[in-house]
Amino acid sequence: IATAATPDNAAADKLAQTIYKAEPERFVVPAQTRARHILIKGTEPSSLAQAEKLLAELKAGANFEALATAHSADPGSAAKGGDLGFFPKGRMVKPFEDALDALKQSGDLSGVVPSNFGYHIIRLEERQPASTQPFEEVRESLRAQVVGNAQKEARLKEVKRLQDQSKGDETALEAFIAEQKKLLPAATAPTAAPTK
């Protein structure tokens, strides 16, 4: 039943394009930023001093990726030279976000930024404005949605058809039960349980 209801590729593509045009907000990719950072854990003066020393080295021309790999306490990004990849606004803690927002051009460095994780040194890599995913990128997932919806609808219709078919005539059923009760001999009629 579900397989028979599956639209062919051309029909599925047409329905997928209809969904894509009717619901454009589903395919918006928010603005994203790519940054690198070095995290020095702790809030004590020695942690701050270490972060300030690394910032001075960076300003003097040291390689950010090498310093991040050697000194960052963030295990997820240290091995990648401090690279955090692309992320949307609101993903990082507020002090980090505020410092990153202040950076204007790729390669700009923040000062030492305190957060609840420790001290960060942040370098802006690039910004991507909000965009809409092209249809070709979402075509397969939309086709899967179209096929899944068509099959689900076919199954639901079949269930309803079977339910309607099995209902029968309620009035006739009640008349039949009443007639059968009249035909029952008195001896087989249920009696009250004996009391002691």
Side-chain angles (χ1 to χ4, degrees), residues 150-162:
Q151 291 177 347
K152 180 180 176 183
E153 191 174 312
R155 283 189 206 97
L156 290 173
K157 280 182 181 176
E158 181 62 11
V159 166
K160 177 147 178 38
R161 185 189 70 78
L162 291 171

Side-chain angles (χ1 to χ4, degrees), residues 121-137:
I121 302 168
I122 305 163
R123 185 175 80 187
L124 174 63
E125 295 297 307
E126 63 181 297
R127 296 190 192 277
Q128 288 182 341
S131 62
T132 301
Q133 290 176 287
F135 177 72
E136 290 306 315
E137 253 180 48

Side-chain angles (χ1 to χ4, degrees), residues 57-131:
E57 289 178 33
L58 289 167
K59 286 181 176 179
N63 181 287
F64 193 99
E65 292 84 347
L67 288 181
T69 302
H71 300 284
S72 184
D74 177 3
S77 68
K80 298 181 279 185
D83 193 356
L84 295 166
F86 281 98
F87 51 90
K89 191 157 184 68
R91 173 82 45 89
M92 302 298 176
V93 294
K94 183 157 178 34
F96 189 104
E97 289 271 349
D98 292 345
L100 187 57
D101 286 347
L103 302 177
K104 299 301 175 205
Q105 295 186 13
S106 296
D108 284 356
L109 283 175
S110 70
V112 173
V113 179
S115 80
N116 55 328
F117 294 103
Y119 295 100
H120 305 265
I121 302 168
I122 305 163
R123 185 175 80 187
L124 174 63
E125 295 297 307
E126 63 181 297
R127 296 190 192 277
Q128 288 182 341
S131 62

Side-chain angles (χ1 to χ4, degrees), residues 15-27:
L15 289 167
Q17 285 179 330
T18 301
I19 293 169
Y20 182 78
K21 289 175 183 170
E23 303 174 29
E25 67 282 352
R26 280 182 55 188
F27 310 104

